[in-house]
Amino acid sequence: MSKKMPVSKSWHSQSAEDALSQLASTADGLSSQEAEQRLLTNGLNELKEGKHISPLQIILGQFKSLLIWILIAAGVVSGLLGEIVDAIAILAIVVLNAVIGFYQEFNAEKSIAALKKMTAPKAKVQRDGQVTSIAASGIVAGDILVLEAGDLVAADARLLKAASLKCIESALTGESEAVTKQAGNLKQADIPLGDRENMVFMGTSVAAGTGVAVVVATAMETELGRIASLIEEAGAEERTPLEKKLESFGRVLVWAALGIVALLFGLGLLRGTKLLELFMTSVSLAVAAVPEGLPAVVTVALALGVLRMSRRRALVRKLPAVETLGSTTVICTDKTGTLTVGEMTVRALYVADQRYEVTGEGYGPNGEVRFEGRKAEAPHAAPLLELASVLLGCNNAHLVQEGGTWKTIGDPTEGALLAAGLKAGGDRKRIDKELPKQHEFPFDSDRKRSTVIRKMPDGHLRALINGAPDVLLDRCTKLYTNTGVRALTDQDRQSILAQNTAMAGQSLRVLGSAWRDLDSTLPTNITADAVEQDLVFVGLSGMHDPPRQEAKEAIAKCRTAGIRVVMITGDHPNTAMAIAQEIGLASEGDQAVAGVELDKMSNEELRRRVSSISVYARVTAEHKLRIIRALKKANDAVVAMTGDGVNDAPALKGADIGIAMGKAGTEVTKQAADMIITDDNFATIVAAVEQGRGIYANIRKTLQYLLAGNTGELLLMTVCVVIGLPTPLLPIHLLWINLVTDGLPALCLATDPIDPDVMKRRPRLRSARITNRSFLGTMFLTGFLTAGVAFTVYLYVLKTGTPEAARTSAFAVLVFAELLRSFGARSEIKPVWRISLFANVNLMIVVALSFGLQVWSQHNETFARFLKTAYMPFTDCLLLLAVGAIPLFVLEMVKIGWHAWRKRVEHAQPKEN
């Protein structure tokens, strides 16, 4: 039986011969018998499935909140005491809350399952000395993979041979540019994943060329498998800040309600009150203490927030994530495609001693070539066309339009050159038709050039070459100018190199273009080295992945809002820092921290330094997860993480809120995320944060509105029981107030338009309580005022009329006070007359309908029986309406006084010079 294969993280630093020896394999591959034995020992080349979450588990997950169990207990007790209507109403709220939550979260976690879809179903291997196609799950360490363009790599492997081999590794590194591969040795052991040129990895694809490689890792031992393990490790999800705060609030509410009920129950026993009456009073107090509408209001507020965000191209998969996003203090974002366009774009051209600017973004035809700020006119057409002919003629990429978006088929760099050549006046179809391709030398990392030989109209051949400027210039002896071709002088070389340096200084990747005329026929044994000499230098093209125009503004908005933005990318440190400085994310002199430096830091050192680092480059999936965890531990931060590649999925799971890119994002990343941005735009994330903050503010004022109402009810009930008066409100009255009178306006408050100044405030801390001193002060003052007017009315009518009339009056004035107070509850700062009523038309409609229902309940016999109310003249209703306005009036006066005091304090503070 074969022994288990060795696991090594540094296969790239070993020679091909050493790798074959260590794996007990040969260049001809394994025998079928040996492969079968290794398969039995090491297992199938498949990623492990994650735990499947069933719909039943999702349903049960909706009942984790303590507040929900309080409502269930209240409903059960009400049912046992014969209050069937109360019980049904309370339990209906619980069911509604569960249904909404289940609907939003029905898409269960499938991260590992989605990873399996990325692995190759079939692969070509060399066994028994012959190339054969087998199921990818049957590949073992030591197998020899045979790769060609279009293949999905089935396992991690060390290259033995590579011919113009390029791989797309965006799923692992996040960078879309094809990586050139070679079979040589790499001496360093600590090279970042994206720089391991002699390795190919499971789940990546071959863009061009061919290769032969020995498999060094399969299944969960691959880089993709390690990411799958990290997803599982990071997947133990924490509850969101709002969930924790509501849970904490629920516990306080339980003990407060139990304390009051126990105290009054004991007082009743001492007085000799009947046990059944005591139970009914206790139920009434419990109903008064619990805001029955709160779970539904919070759930609906979050669900409507989801709808609002979807209109702004942000799809939320998990309801609580809406509020979490609003409390974000750090946003960790990828560079490519999020802060940048995600497509290589030529920005500058240099030809015939003139530099040109190229406008437009991506691969589309929008844009033009400009000279000194204006569109390049006729005198510039000839040199631009000369350069365009090389850019288009030595190019295998194709541009296609899909769903209104231009994309490149082939190498992204060639796609960018193709787009620039078309803007410069070139015609790809004409070149392919009139200058047919005769031969090609593909780009390789040794030559750093690519060459296409085409037949010119007069019959002679011309070699068109694109490559690294310094290497290309060494092979040039002539220069293209406006007046024709002449000898290349040392001064010309210096000028060209100076332009190359200037473009590189602007973080542009520079390619040079040249041509050479050949005879009409090619020798059969023609070599690249023989062709690529005595060249005519034509020009330079400077390209980069440009920053999104809106990214700079979005980052400035984050800074104003007190949110820190951190770039985490797989790109090179210099490129990452240049983009970071251009968009205002980093300052001059800041340094990017590379993955190899992170490897040398302990977790404690990283935690100490993480607050001062804005750019991380050349990082792996493990690095990203470490950074996220360090940020969460430092300064009590709430961390959002964006990503699109498989390598981002663990960090998305580990963050407080994971944000996946909808366009470029892999299925794995989307499944691991809490939210998906459909336009892959950082500005959309910032807009979603703004929505999240607004939703939190709405939930907070709604909670205050509900709790202030409950406080008033509880105070009224408690005072009357303590002094020995009959119960002022029956359970049905309290339930009506909590579910209809308070519940419906609360829903409208939860959907109030977002305050435009919400992004000018500092983010709240993770540890900040939702019920702070200001919140509690307003709540108790409001409760005292509403209880005061209701008690006064109840006492007056009780002395002059029947207990039924007194209850009806107390019930009515409490309802009127609550409805009027909903207008003032829309802002903690602005008085009611400074808030447009028409900004929340739904609230006006609900208040008007509730007023009508309340008056109708005192004049309709059936409705009166249901609500247990007595008849009341319309004049009394108007009088009670005026009395009910007292709490609103006092609260608005307090707002004005507080605002005036705050302005005096601000003016009294010494101004800075």
Side-chain angles (χ1 to χ4, degrees):
M1 200 72 147
S2 292
K3 62 181 181 179
K4 202 166 181 71
M5 284 296 102
V7 176
S8 172
K9 287 187 179 181
S10 55
W11 289 105
H12 58 274
S13 62
Q14 299 183 27
S15 68
E17 293 76 16
D18 287 346
L20 286 168
S21 175
Q22 192 174 344
L23 293 160
S25 183
T26 68
D28 293 328
L30 302 171
S31 67
S32 297
Q33 185 179 2
E34 174 65 16
E36 190 176 338
Q37 288 179 340
R38 292 189 183 190
L39 194 63
L40 288 170
T41 304
N42 299 307
L44 293 172
N45 179 34
E46 292 180 341
L47 300 179
K48 291 179 182 175
E49 282 275 13
K51 291 180 181 177
H52 179 68
I53 298 176
S54 67
L56 178 62
Q57 287 174 297
I58 298 173
I59 291 172
L60 293 176
Q62 308 306 314
F63 295 91
K64 289 180 180 177
S65 169
L66 182 60
L67 210 54
I68 292 293
W69 284 106
I70 296 171
L71 290 183
I72 291 172
V76 170
V77 172
S78 297
L80 292 174
L81 292 174
E83 298 292 335
I84 303 301
V85 174
D86 298 6
I88 291 172
I90 293 172
L91 294 176
I93 288 293
V94 173
V95 171
L96 175 66
N97 184 72
V99 167
I100 294 172
F102 174 81
Y103 176 77
Q104 290 292 335
E105 297 178 19
F106 184 64
N107 290 325
E109 304 299 333
K110 296 176 184 175
S111 297
I112 310 301
L115 271 170
K116 286 190 73 177
K117 294 177 184 176
M118 293 190 61
T119 58
K122 289 281 186 181
K124 291 188 289 293
V125 297
Q126 196 161 306
R127 283 187 184 170
D128 301 318
Q130 294 183 340
V131 176
T132 181
S133 180
I134 66 168
S137 59
I139 287 175
V140 296
D143 261 329
I144 303 298
L145 287 180
V146 179
L147 304 168
E148 60 184 38
D151 285 353
L152 204 58
V153 181
D156 287 5
R158 167 69 164 86
L159 284 166
L160 305 177
K161 297 177 186 176
S164 305
L165 184 65
K166 288 187 176 184
C167 291
I168 303 290
E169 298 180 345
S170 57
L172 290 178
T173 65
E175 300 307 308
S176 57
E177 196 171 340
V179 180
T180 302
K181 297 292 182 177
Q182 52 94 11
N185 296 342
L186 301 175
K187 293 180 181 179
Q188 284 180 277
D190 57 352
I191 296 176
L193 188 71
D195 293 333
R196 296 176 193 172
E197 297 174 350
N198 59 4
M199 296 286 295
V200 290
F201 302 100
M202 177 191 264
T204 63
S205 60
V206 179
T210 60
V212 176
V214 59
V215 173
V216 298
T218 61
M220 298 301 285
E221 300 297 336
T222 62
E223 291 295 332
L224 200 63
R226 288 170 63 202
I227 290 172
S229 300
L230 284 171
I231 293 173
E232 202 166 13
E233 178 193 335
E237 295 183 7
E238 296 182 25
R239 289 178 300 166
T240 66
L242 181 64
E243 287 174 322
K244 291 177 182 176
K245 287 164 187 168
L246 289 178
E247 190 75 11
S248 172
F249 166 72
R251 283 195 295 270
V252 172
L253 196 62
V254 165
W255 289 112
L258 287 175
I260 293 169
V261 168
L263 181 67
L264 296 179
F265 194 86
L267 190 62
L269 284 175
L270 289 174
R271 285 181 174 168
T273 309
K274 292 178 181 179
L275 205 58
L276 182 61
E277 187 180 337
L278 274 177
F279 267 118
M280 292 304 298
T281 303
S282 298
V283 170
S284 298
L285 286 168
V287 171
V290 177
E292 285 83 1
L294 178 59
V297 165
V298 170
T299 303
V300 169
L302 293 174
L304 288 172
V306 168
L307 183 63
R308 282 181 179 177
M309 286 186 175
S310 69
R311 290 171 183 161
R312 301 188 72 165
R313 296 179 289 280
L315 305 179
V316 178
R317 294 182 64 240
K318 298 168 187 175
L319 278 183
V322 176
E323 182 276 333
T324 309
L325 194 62
S327 61
T328 297
T329 55
V330 180
I331 299 176
C332 295
T333 176
D334 188 22
K335 174 186 72 67
T336 307
T338 308
L339 295 173
T340 65
V341 176
E343 298 170 346
M344 293 300 287
T345 305
V346 172
R347 275 281 174 257
L349 297 174
Y350 173 76
V351 58
D353 202 30
Q354 300 288 353
R355 179 162 170 170
Y356 300 87
E357 175 194 359
V358 184
T359 63
E361 291 180 353
Y363 304 116
N366 297 328
E368 61 188 12
V369 178
R370 293 184 175 184
F371 180 71
E372 295 182 347
R374 296 182 180 180
K375 184 177 180 180
E377 300 295 343
H380 303 281
L384 285 172
L385 187 59
E386 186 74 14
L387 178 57
S389 297
V390 183
L391 298 180
L392 299 178
C394 181
N395 200 311
N396 289 317
H398 296 275
L399 301 180
V400 294
Q401 194 173 20
E402 294 179 5
T405 303
W406 285 90
K407 297 181 179 180
T408 182
I409 298 174
D411 186 274
T413 299
E414 291 195 342
L417 294 175
L418 179 55
L422 295 173
K423 291 174 187 176
D427 187 334
R428 174 70 173 274
K429 289 181 180 178
R430 184 190 65 79
I431 289 173
D432 286 340
K433 184 179 178 181
E434 297 179 8
L435 312 177
K437 186 189 291 187
Q438 303 295 302
H439 197 77
E440 180 176 3
F441 298 107
F443 181 91
D444 68 52
S445 56
D446 294 327
R447 289 168 39 247
K448 295 184 179 179
R449 298 180 297 279
S450 62
T451 298
V452 170
I453 300 174
R454 292 182 177 271
K455 192 168 191 175
M456 303 303 285
D458 63 2
H460 81 273
L461 301 178
R462 176 172 286 185
L464 306 174
I465 304 107
N466 289 320
D470 51 346
V471 176
L472 196 64
L473 200 56
D474 286 343
R475 291 179 166 260
C476 291
T477 57
K478 301 181 185 70
L479 177 68
Y480 171 83
T481 69
N482 276 322
T483 55
V485 176
R486 63 169 173 79
L488 185 68
T489 66
D490 288 340
Q491 187 177 350
D492 294 330
R493 291 180 189 276
Q494 293 304 316
S495 297
I496 294 166
L497 289 172
Q499 284 293 330
N500 179 39
T501 303
M503 287 187 186
Q506 295 174 317
S507 301
L508 298 178
R509 182 187 171 202
V510 189
L511 284 180
S513 298
W515 56 258
R516 178 191 174 188
D517 283 335
L518 305 169
D519 294 334
S520 56
T521 57
L522 287 173
T524 53
N525 58 346
I526 189 73
T527 64
D529 191 59
V531 171
E532 295 167 349
Q533 56 182 310
D534 194 26
L535 306 177
V536 177
F537 186 85
V538 179
L540 301 171
S541 303
M543 70 190 78
H544 71 154
D545 181 7
R548 289 182 180 270
Q549 292 180 353
E550 58 272 35
K552 190 171 184 177
E553 183 183 336
I555 285 171
K557 200 171 186 179
C558 282
R559 189 172 287 112
T560 303
I563 299 170
R564 209 172 140 238
V565 181
V566 176
M567 180 194 291
I568 304 178
T569 178
D571 208 344
H572 289 279
N574 292 344
T575 307
M577 184 52 69
I579 293 291
Q581 290 174 353
E582 187 174 347
I583 60 178
L585 193 149
S587 306
E588 286 287 337
D590 286 353
Q591 294 271 321
V593 173
V596 289
E597 296 173 63
L598 284 174
D599 287 331
K600 296 171 186 175
M601 289 187 203
S602 66
N603 288 336
E604 181 58 31
E605 184 184 356
L606 178 59
R607 191 186 66 78
R608 287 198 309 269
R609 291 187 56 190
V610 75
S611 299
S612 60
I613 302 170
S614 296
V615 180
Y616 298 88
R618 271 306 192 235
V619 291
T620 64
E622 292 98 325
H623 294 142
K624 292 182 180 185
L625 188 56
R626 277 190 69 200
I627 294 164
I628 292 297
R629 286 173 172 169
L631 283 166
K632 288 173 73 173
K633 287 180 181 177
N635 304 323
D636 197 30
V638 177
V639 182
M641 171 73 191
T642 75
D644 54 10
V646 176
N647 63 324
D648 296 316
L652 262 64
K653 276 280 192 182
D656 291 295
I657 178 163
I659 305 168
M661 302 296 109
K663 286 183 179 178
T666 61
E667 187 62 26
V668 187
T669 318
K670 292 173 187 176
Q671 290 294 338
D674 302 296
M675 187 172 81
I676 299 168
I677 300 297
T678 60
D679 61 356
D680 294 11
N681 194 334
F682 183 78
T684 301
I685 298 169
V686 178
V689 170
E690 186 174 2
Q691 286 287 323
R693 284 194 176 189
I695 288 162
Y696 179 84
N698 283 350
I699 289 174
R700 188 177 186 274
K701 69 187 179 189
T702 302
L703 179 62
Q704 189 176 70
Y705 173 72
L706 290 172
L707 290 181
N710 284 83
T711 304
E713 296 162 25
L714 200 58
L715 280 172
L716 174 63
M717 295 288 292
T718 303
V719 169
C720 289
V721 171
V722 168
I723 64 177
L725 293 176
T727 306
L729 297 169
L730 300 175
I732 189 65
H733 297 154
L734 293 165
L735 207 56
W736 179 265
I737 293 170
N738 288 357
L739 293 180
V740 180
T741 307
D742 283 354
L744 293 178
L747 286 173
C748 298
L749 288 174
T751 60
D752 221 18
I754 290 169
D755 187 343
D757 294 333
V758 76
M759 287 297 277
K760 294 179 182 177
R761 301 168 195 154
R762 305 293 296 177
R764 61 191 179 279
L765 293 174
R766 183 195 295 271
S767 56
R769 299 177 65 89
I770 196 168
T771 51
N772 58 16
R773 186 181 298 177
S774 167
F775 181 101
L776 294 173
T778 304
M779 183 187 83
F780 283 120
L781 175 61
T782 306
F784 174 78
L785 290 169
T786 53
V789 295
F791 179 74
T792 303
V793 167
Y794 177 66
L795 198 60
Y796 175 79
V797 179
L798 194 62
K799 288 183 177 179
T800 59
T802 64
E804 289 76 18
R807 279 198 191 102
T808 301
S809 297
F811 178 37
V813 77
L814 207 54
V815 167
F816 293 153
E818 289 298 292
L819 291 174
L820 291 171
R821 194 172 60 81
S822 67
F823 292 113
R826 291 180 63 195
S827 174
E828 294 182 48
I829 302 168
K830 297 176 184 175
V832 68
W833 54 86
R834 286 184 55 201
I835 309 169
S836 171
L837 288 174
F838 297 100
N840 196 334
V841 177
N842 290 336
L843 180 62
M844 293 174 63
I845 294 169
V846 162
V847 169
L849 287 174
S850 298
F851 271 128
L853 283 173
Q854 191 62 36
V855 173
W856 188 42
S857 73
Q858 294 143 14
H859 293 82
N860 181 276
E861 193 174 331
T862 305
F863 200 16
R865 267 201 308 273
F866 174 75
L867 284 181
K868 299 176 183 176
T869 56
Y871 172 79
M872 183 187 295
F874 282 111
T875 51
D876 287 3
C877 289
L878 290 173
L879 185 61
L880 290 176
L881 180 61
V883 174
I886 292 172
L888 176 65
F889 176 78
V890 174
L891 289 168
E892 295 309 299
M893 291 303 102
V894 169
K895 276 186 197 175
I896 293 171
W898 180 84
H899 185 64
W901 174 82
R902 189 177 175 185
K903 287 191 80 172
R904 281 201 303 274
V905 169
E906 287 175 357
H907 285 304
Q909 290 176 344
K911 294 182 179 178
E912 295 180 7
N913 293 326

